Amino acid sequence: MDTSGATRRGIMSTDTTAADPATVLADITGMLRDLLEEHGLPDADITRGSTFHGDLELESIDLVTLSASLREHYGDRVNFAEFVADLELDEIIGLTVGELVDHVVTSLRAA
């Protein structure tokens, strides 16, 4: 059964690999590569320790775009805006890819 179309519409299967940190990191890395390609940085090194602001040079509008990508991919189970709303400004500026991965994994496992 092809679930790729369903995934793009935010309907994830109940496959437990969806909550695997390595899988989530790969998903988020792909989303970030798409964003960075728009900025002319397709070869940026993306690791769990990469910061969105300092390392990847993403602006707040880029985080809005990332939030939409996360919602499209994972559905309502992952709420990036709610996650960021609980952070202080310096925490948002220092937010890492790994922290987002951990949030997504936790959200998927709780769903």
Side-chain angles (χ1 to χ4, degrees), residues 17-35:
T17 60
D20 174 66
T23 301
V24 172
L25 178 60
D27 292 343
I28 291 173
T29 298
M31 292 174 204
L32 289 171
R33 290 234 177 272
D34 290 344
L35 271 174

Side-chain angles (χ1 to χ4, degrees), residues 6 8-9 35 37 49 61 82 86 94:
R8 283 193 299 273
R9 290 187 300 275
L35 271 174
E37 190 171 312
I61 191 68
E82 186 177 274
D86 289 338

Side-chain angles (χ1 to χ4, degrees), residues 2 6 8-9 12 15 19 22 30 36 40 51 53 67 80 86 90 98 104:
D2 178 19
R8 283 193 299 273
R9 290 187 300 275
M12 291 290 296
D15 183 0
L36 293 170
T51 60
H53 180 72
S67 177
F80 181 70
D86 289 338
D90 60 333
V104 170

Side-chain angles (χ1 to χ4, degrees), residues 4-82:
S4 59
T7 301
R8 283 193 299 273
R9 290 187 300 275
I11 304 167
M12 291 290 296
S13 70
T14 56
D15 183 0
T16 57
T17 60
D20 174 66
T23 301
V24 172
L25 178 60
D27 292 343
I28 291 173
T29 298
M31 292 174 204
L32 289 171
R33 290 234 177 272
D34 290 344
L35 271 174
L36 293 170
E37 190 171 312
E38 292 176 18
H39 294 292
L41 301 169
D43 298 327
D45 187 31
I46 301 172
T47 67
R48 283 186 57 89
S50 299
T51 60
F52 291 101
H53 180 72
D55 296 325
L56 303 178
E57 300 178 16
L58 297 179
E59 301 293 330
S60 58
I61 191 68
D62 298 315
L63 295 181
V64 172
T65 302
L66 177 60
S67 177
S69 295
L70 289 166
R71 181 176 220 116
E72 182 179 324
H73 188 79
Y74 296 111
D76 293 334
R77 297 181 297 166
V78 176
N79 189 330
F80 181 70
E82 186 177 274

